[in-house]
């Protein structure tokens, strides 16, 4: 009866009631749209913060570009090329400057060689790329090998492949002043077959000595350690030669020749985010997980291995692999070092003592993830075949006696991570340093632009939400006043007829709440549907991808969606609706309580209506 | 038989600046079947006294007894619901309820079903001399006299035996005034109500069985 009378009376002022219903619906819709947009933009922002990273690379620029000459005896001409020279490497510490706010400090990554004789690294028939052969040879008459001469292969000391000719063409072709060779003497050398142009259309082949016996070991400071055998191409073999220091070294070299076929590159880093192949998306974890921040921080013995390596060797995530590290390359990235050959990394294999580099650290690593690399092409910015990633901190021994190459900071070896959105500040602070010799490149995958868009949406959401809240409050206050305060008399009559205060309250409130209920339900639903539709339109039209371009490296992993646009959560709409109803209830209660303060006697004994 | 008794009833209004003693020691006994008129100058405390009889508030001193029971210990909401109804000069009908619904209101409030309440309301409306057509009209569409009849019908509907009326004829022309007085008299004499009417009008007072005269919050006869 209470409810019926309440509704009856409210329905008998249809204009007011419909207006109230419409306004409540509108306010509820506005608030819901506001809250949903707000929630969506926040959740988008969180997602984007997780997905996006901002990294930078540093590269020391070449100081001079020298025109260099290389004599080619076979073609009787000098080839000219521009060789780059670097000033002494600029230390990493200059990047710890004021205003540099790093998530990951700048690291200059080495890669290590790990000797894995028990694993299959290459298909069995894989040509090493360079058919280096170590031989003892003689010549038939005294000569200077500044042209094509015939030599006799007296002994094959090392050859990877069958080699059954006894005489070959030979020329010390890149040496402008070759040493004299004497008939009757025996020499030892490492040589390689190289093509030369005979005329415009055809090529011939000739063996050329290569310098492998010299040591080019570097000190921790990046200086080449002195070695008397640097530059030696061939040596005379005399009686008891292999017992001499030089002779032993040739035997050591032979021993080293098989190492590259059993060596995988191991890159040590402090964060996978810093590695360009992962950043650009040409490499990604296909099975298992990335090395976690904690694992990096603790230096846990975990690693990421190449998917193909794992497959060939039947390795799965969770398996352990022993990594005996024996050399450190501080010049190249693994991808860069193995750019031209999958086996040879472009540095000499003997240390300054003339011996193979000994293992300096060995530990068992647990495989946590398998890395898939897509797209061909190899450069400093791609992953090398069989490349393994480990946390830098997991290496608990010094590599200072095992440095095979050293160079300045390069884009592919030197990178850092800064907070998203701080590119501009970093760049400005960096430029203030005046380090003209260092080239800074920053990448954020378009975060800055996207963030600006999101910020706009968020401000808009906030304005809508605020407008919705204000509208809701105003409308409810106005109509409570209209429906309740203005009907003080009704309450007074009800009281005089013996209705209790609580029943009067119910009588007054139930009709109003019913309208608020309807209005806010419809409004919230409308708001929800509206934002869902908007979300659909937005995500349909602008799901962004990870296509990006950087200077010399071009990576395009088209259409890989890295984050989904958020959709409105139904719960937020429901909560908005509930809050409006609750607020209306409390407000109505408060207003009625005010009405009930007056004793009915005063109101009712007024003499005029 | 006695239904209402006031014993040394006092009432004072507490305002911000002063205390107004509106009723000062009124004692009187009311019986069913009689019509009482309360007369007196403006401000003499008539309405205040009536409100106390209606249980809208309690005396600040003294007691009102309802069928021998102290009003102070009664539930005054149910007293008004079941025993006494008030008729006002300004009618105080629910503007958004029809005539019938207005009369049904106190009946339904006591828990009677809608159907029965409607029937009873229609009977009462007929009884106070209103045409059947008014049943579905809203109070504004009715004349002052009709509205007051309706208010009396609603007062009767409560089913109690006390009707308290504060200048029920104050807004009416003399013809309607006469009708209302006759209606109230009928209620007292044939329906055994105790009818207590405040009036300034000597003609109305003349129709009453007893006339109570008030001055400065006191009865003076
Ligand atoms: N709500 C109130 N607050 C304060 N004083 C009041 C209030 N109602 C009435 N009074 C005062 O109480 C006294 C008695 O008022 P009351 O209304 O009972 O007189 P009345 O006899 O009914 O007068 P009238 O004939 O004009 O209706 C008056 O002095 C009046 O001013
Ligand atoms: Mg009065």
């Amino acid at each position: 009866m209470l409810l019926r009378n309440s509704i009856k009376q409210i329905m008998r002022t249809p204009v007011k009631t419909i207006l109230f219903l419409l306004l409540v619906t509108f306010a509820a819709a506005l608030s819901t749209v506001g809250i949903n947009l707000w929630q969506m933009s926040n959740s988008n922002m969180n997602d984007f913060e997780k997905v996006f990273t901002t990294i930078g690379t540093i590269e020391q620029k070449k100081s001079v570009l020298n025109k260099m000459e290389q004599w080619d005896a076979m073609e009787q001409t000098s080839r000219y090329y521009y060789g780059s020279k670097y000033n002494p490497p600029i230390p990493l510490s200059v990047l710890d400057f004021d205003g540099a706010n790093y998530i990951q400090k700048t690291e200059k990554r080495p890669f290590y060689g790990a000797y894995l004789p028990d694993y299959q690294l290459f298909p069995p028939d894989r040509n090493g790329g360079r058919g280096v052969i170590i031989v003892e040879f003689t010549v038939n008459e005294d000569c200077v090998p500044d042209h094509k001469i015939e030599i006799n292969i007296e002994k094959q000391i090392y050859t990877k492949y069958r080699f059954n000719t006894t005489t070959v063409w030979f020329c010390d072709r890149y040496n402008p002043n070759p040493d004299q060779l004497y008939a009757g003497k025996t020499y030892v050398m490492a040589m390689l077959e190289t093509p030369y142009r005979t005329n415009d259309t055809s090529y011939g082949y000739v063996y050329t000595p290569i310098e492998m016996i010299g040591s080019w070991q570097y000190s921790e400071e990046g200086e080449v350690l002195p070695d008397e055998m640097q530059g030696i191409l061939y040596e005379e073999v005399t009686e008891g030669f292999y017992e001499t220091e030089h002779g032993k070294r040739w035997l050591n070299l032979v021993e080293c020749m098989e190492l590259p076929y059993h060596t995988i590159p191991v890159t040590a880093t402090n964060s996978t985010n810093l590695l360009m192949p992962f950043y650009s998306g040409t490499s990604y974890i296909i099975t298992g997980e990335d090395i976690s921040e904690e694992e990096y921080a603790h230096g846990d013995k975990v690693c990421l291995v190449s998917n193909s390596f794992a497959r060939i060797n039947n390795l799965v995530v969770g398996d352990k692999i022993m990594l005996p590290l024996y050399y450190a390359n501080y010049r190249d990235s693994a991808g860069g070092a193995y750019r031209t050959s999958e086996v040879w990394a472009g540095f000499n294999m003997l240390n300054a003592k003339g011996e193979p580099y000994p293992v300096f650290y060995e530990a068992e690593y647990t495989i946590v993830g398998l890395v898939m690399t897509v797209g061909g092409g190899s450069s400093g910015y791609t992953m090398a075949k069989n490349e393994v990633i480990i946390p830098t901190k997991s290496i608990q021994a010094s590599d200072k006696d095992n440095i095979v190459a050293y160079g300045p900071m390069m884009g592919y070896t030197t990178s850092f991570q800064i907070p998203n959105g701080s590119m501009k500040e970093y760049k400005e602070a960096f430029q203030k340093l005046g380090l003209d010799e260092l080239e800074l490149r920053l990448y954020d995958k378009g975060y800055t632009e996207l963030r600006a868009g999101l910020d706009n949406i968020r401000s808009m959401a906030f304005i809508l939400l605020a407008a919705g809240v204000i509208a809701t409050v105003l409308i409810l206050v106005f109509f409570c006043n209209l429906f309740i305060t203005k009907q003080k008399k009704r309450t007074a009559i009800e009281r005089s007829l013996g209705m209790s205060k609580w029943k009067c309250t119910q009588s007054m409130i139930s009709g109003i709440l019913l309208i608020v209920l309807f209005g806010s339900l419809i409004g919230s639903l409308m708001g929800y549907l509206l934002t869902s539709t908007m979300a659909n339109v937005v995500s349909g039209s602008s799901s962004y991808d990870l296509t990006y371009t950087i200077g010399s490296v071009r990576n395009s992993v088209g259409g890989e969606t890295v984050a989904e646009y958020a959709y409105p959560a139904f719960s937020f709409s429901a909560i908005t609706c509930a809050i409006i109803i609750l607020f209306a209830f409390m407000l109505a209660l408060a207003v009625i309580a005010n009405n009930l303060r007056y004793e009915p006697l005063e109101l009712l004994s007024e003499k005029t209506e | 038989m006695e239904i209402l008794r006031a014993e040394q009833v006092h009432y004072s209004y507490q305002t911000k600046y002063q205390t107004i003693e509106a009723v000062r020691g009124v004692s009187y006994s009311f019986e069913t079947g009689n019509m009482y008129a309360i007369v007196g100058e403006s401000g003499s405390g008539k309405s205040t006294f009536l409100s106390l009889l209606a249980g809208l508030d309690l005396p600040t001193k003294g007691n009102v007894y309802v069928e021998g029971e102290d009003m102070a210990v009664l539930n005054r909401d149910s007293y008004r619901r079941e025993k006494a109804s008030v008729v006002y000069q300004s009618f105080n009908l629910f503007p958004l309820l029809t005539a019938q619904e207005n009369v049904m209101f106190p009946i339904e409030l006591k828990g009677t079903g809608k159907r029965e309440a409607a029937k009873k309301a229609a009977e009462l409306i007929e009884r106070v001399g209103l045409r059947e057509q008014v049943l579905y009209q809203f109070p504004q569409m009715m004349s002052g006299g009709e509205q007051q009849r309706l208010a009396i019908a609603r007062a009767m509907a409560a089913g109690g035996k006390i009707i308290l009326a504060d200048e029920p004829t104050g807004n009416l022309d003399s013809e309607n005034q006469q009708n209302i007085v006759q209606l109230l008299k009928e209620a007292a004499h044939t329906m055994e109500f105790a009818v207590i009417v405040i009036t300034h009008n000597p003609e109305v007072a003349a129709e009453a069985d007893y006339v109570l005269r008030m001055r400065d919050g006191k009865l003076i006869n």
Side-chain angles (χ1 to χ4, degrees), chain A residues 1-2 4-5 8-10 12-13 487 489-501 503 507 599-609, chain B residues 11 13 47 51 56-57 76-78 80-81 84 86 88-94 96-98 101 104-106 108-109 114 138 147 154 166-167 171:
Chain A
M1 172 246 176
L2 270 180
R4 179 156 42 82
N5 268 329
K8 212 183 262 172
Q9 294 184 62
I10 214 157
R12 282 173 185 168
T13 49
Q487 294 203 58
K489 203 151 188 178
R490 169 172 152 196
T491 307
I493 301 170
E494 287 173 348
R495 291 277 291 139
S496 82
L497 290 174
M499 212 157 160
S500 68
K501 288 190 174 185
K503 283 209 163 144
S507 157
E599 280 302 327
L601 122 199
E602 300 166 42
L603 285 166
L604 298 178
S605 53
E606 281 165 14
K607 293 187 171 77
T608 45
E609 285 232 89
Chain B
Y11 191 85
Y13 290 101
S47 296
S51 299
L56 291 173
D57 206 346
R76 284 180 292 130
D77 283 337
S78 62
R80 288 200 302 278
R81 207 156 55 229
V86 191
Y88 299 91
Q89 178 179 357
S90 54
F91 321 134
N92 288 332
L93 296 161
F94 293 113
L96 294 173
L97 295 181
T98 62
E101 286 162 356
M104 282 164 73
F105 194 96
E108 285 192 275
L109 204 55
K114 189 186 168 194
F138 290 101
Q147 286 191 51
R154 189 177 69 184
D166 195 343
E167 297 201 40
N171 279 353

Side-chain angles (χ1 to χ4, degrees), chain A residues 602 607, chain B residues 13 15 20 22 40-48 167 200:
Chain A
E602 300 166 42
K607 293 187 171 77
Chain B
Y13 290 101
T15 69
I20 297 163
E41 291 161 21
S42 186
S44 59
K46 305 184 294 292
S47 296
T48 308
E167 297 201 40
H200 277 118

Side-chain angles (χ1 to χ4, degrees), chain B:
Chain B
M1 58 174 280
E2 182 194 274
I3 188 157
L4 262 181
R5 181 156 46 91
E7 248 177 38
Q8 283 304 310
V9 166
H10 287 256
Y11 191 85
S12 35
Y13 290 101
Q14 206 72 42
T15 69
K16 246 185 204 165
Y17 311 103
Q18 54 181 333
T19 308
I20 297 163
E21 285 199 69
V23 178
R24 314 194 228 190
V26 175
S27 301
Y28 200 84
S29 168
F30 301 93
E31 296 186 351
T32 52
N34 287 329
M35 175 162 140
Y36 302 84
I38 303 178
V39 297
E41 291 161 21
S42 186
S44 59
K46 305 184 294 292
S47 296
T48 308
F49 182 53
L50 197 79
S51 299
L52 295 175
L53 296 179
L56 291 173
D57 206 346
L58 285 175
T60 40
K61 229 162 78 188
N63 303 83
V64 176
Y65 293 93
V66 184
E67 292 172 330
E69 272 191 89
D70 190 350
M71 182 88 81
V73 301
L74 287 176
N75 177 334
R76 284 180 292 130
D77 283 337
S78 62
Y79 166 68
R80 288 200 302 278
R81 207 156 55 229
E82 283 152 19
K83 303 234 158 86
S85 322
V86 191
V87 176
Y88 299 91
Q89 178 179 357
S90 54
F91 321 134
N92 288 332
L93 296 161
F94 293 113
L96 294 173
L97 295 181
T98 62
Q100 190 177 25
E101 286 162 356
N102 261 284
V103 180
M104 282 164 73
F105 194 96
I107 305 172
E108 285 192 275
L109 204 55
K110 285 190 302 180
T112 310
K114 189 186 168 194
R115 231 167 226 285
E116 208 189 320
K119 201 173 136 221
K120 213 166 158 191
E123 279 169 20
L124 281 166
I125 285 170
E126 201 194 332
R127 178 115 202 203
V128 298
L130 289 173
R131 290 161 298 123
E132 213 188 312
Q133 293 98 296
V134 306
L135 284 179
Y136 308 108
Q137 286 181 3
F138 290 101
Q140 282 113 308
M141 288 148 48
M142 300 160 68
S143 74
E146 286 173 324
Q147 286 191 51
Q148 197 59 296
R149 279 168 206 258
L150 189 61
I152 292 166
R154 189 177 69 184
M156 291 169 163
K161 280 291 163 216
I162 305 165
I163 293 177
L164 304 162
D166 195 343
E167 297 201 40
T169 60
N171 279 353
L172 304 177
D173 59 38
S174 60
E175 195 193 327
N176 271 314
Q177 186 178 299
Q178 237 2 82
N179 289 337
I180 294 296
V181 172
Q182 287 314 314
L183 189 57
L184 289 172
K185 215 165 140 182
E186 199 188 317
H189 295 163
T190 68
M191 295 166 76
E192 286 293 309
F193 278 92
V195 178
I196 305 166
V197 184
I198 294 175
T199 183
H200 277 118
N201 192 326
E203 285 175 38
V204 175
E207 298 281 338
D209 301 309
Y210 301 92
V211 177
L212 288 73
R213 204 165 290 276
M214 282 188 78
R215 182 180 293 158
D216 292 336
K218 290 177 182 155
L219 277 183
I220 53 161
N221 52 339

Side-chain angles (χ1 to χ4, degrees), chain A residues 138-192:
Chain A
T138 54
V139 289
N140 295 329
E141 45 198 72
D142 293 359
C143 63
V144 173
D146 58 359
H147 60 284
K148 198 167 78 169
I149 56 164
E150 230 176 2
I151 58 168
N152 309 310
I153 306 298
E154 301 297 335
K155 192 169 169 192
Q156 298 177 23
I157 302 175
Y158 171 81
T159 178
K160 181 85 178 157
Y161 307 102
R162 208 149 53 128
F163 179 80
N164 47 18
T165 33
T166 49
T167 59
V168 294
W169 290 107
F170 172 76
C171 176
D172 192 357
R173 63 186 285 199
Y174 302 120
N175 188 350
N177 299 299
D179 292 340
Q180 168 109 37
L181 295 169
Y182 298 95
K185 285 188 176 177
T186 305
Y187 300 93
V188 61
M189 76 168 164
M191 64 177 191
L192 185 65

